[in-house]
Amino acid sequence: MYTINVTPKIYKRLERHALGFEDTPANVIERLLNHYERHVKGEPVPGPIQKRGSATAPRDYTHYVFEGRDYGKSRLVLAVIKAYVRDHPNTTFRDLLEAFPKNLQGSSGVFDKLQNVKVKDPERRFFIKDPIELADCTVFVCTQWGIGNISQFIDTATKLGYTIEPTPQN
């Protein structure tokens, strides 16, 4: 870990880009770097990175094809996690956390155990009706996915051997 000193003015600017109550400065910087690197490489960038729900933030309705089916961002993550557990039947919580680290999503994590989900507003933030049984516990996948964190998840899933393609936009 390195320490980076920034002025209060720069810190305030970083705060404006946080995506949740517990989003860290490191996550914000990483999203900004991802955005910048995609832009410099000439890959299409759907819009400015802005705080979700702000009046000027564009909505991104990109869907993705995974295993022949079309998914929005949240359902895509649920489908990939289910596929991973299907393909690795003895997966433990620790195994799944190593494959899909918490920081891919942000403050809520990619998934969590029931006792933790209850604290984090399960009705809105997790697929509470779609439990996934692991070798040592049951987990629930987070529903909080958007333009700022889905690309990291897709990159991780791709490295694990899963093919995910965005659907053509009309």
Side-chain angles (χ1 to χ4, degrees), residues 14 18 64 117 134:
L14 286 172
Y64 301 87
V117 166
L134 302 180

Side-chain angles (χ1 to χ4, degrees), residues 22-24 27 30-31 81 93-112 116 120 126 142 144-145 149 152-153 156:
E22 297 176 9
D23 204 1
T24 67
N27 289 344
E30 184 174 21
R31 275 194 308 279
I81 298 295
F93 185 83
R94 176 175 272 170
D95 297 335
L96 196 58
L97 196 55
E98 286 178 16
F100 300 97
K102 179 180 177 175
N103 67 352
L104 293 178
Q105 188 282 330
S107 62
S108 294
V110 178
F111 56 88
D112 212 337
N116 298 330
K120 297 177 182 175
F126 291 86
C142 184
Q144 305 296 293
W145 295 90
N149 58 8
Q152 292 178 39
F153 178 84
T156 299

Side-chain angles (χ1 to χ4, degrees), residues 47-117:
I49 296 176
Q50 295 179 340
K51 189 172 184 176
R52 184 174 168 233
S54 74
T56 58
R59 295 286 304 195
D60 176 50
Y61 296 103
T62 304
H63 277 232
Y64 301 87
V65 176
F66 174 65
E67 294 185 336
R69 294 193 60 199
D70 183 82
Y71 297 98
K73 292 170 193 63
S74 299
R75 291 279 174 188
L76 170 69
V77 174
L78 179 64
V80 170
I81 298 295
K82 284 182 174 183
Y84 184 86
V85 172
R86 176 197 68 214
D87 296 343
H88 303 87
N90 296 319
T91 301
T92 64
F93 185 83
R94 176 175 272 170
D95 297 335
L96 196 58
L97 196 55
E98 286 178 16
F100 300 97
K102 179 180 177 175
N103 67 352
L104 293 178
Q105 188 282 330
S107 62
S108 294
V110 178
F111 56 88
D112 212 337
K113 298 176 185 176
L114 182 60
Q115 63 266 30
N116 298 330
V117 166

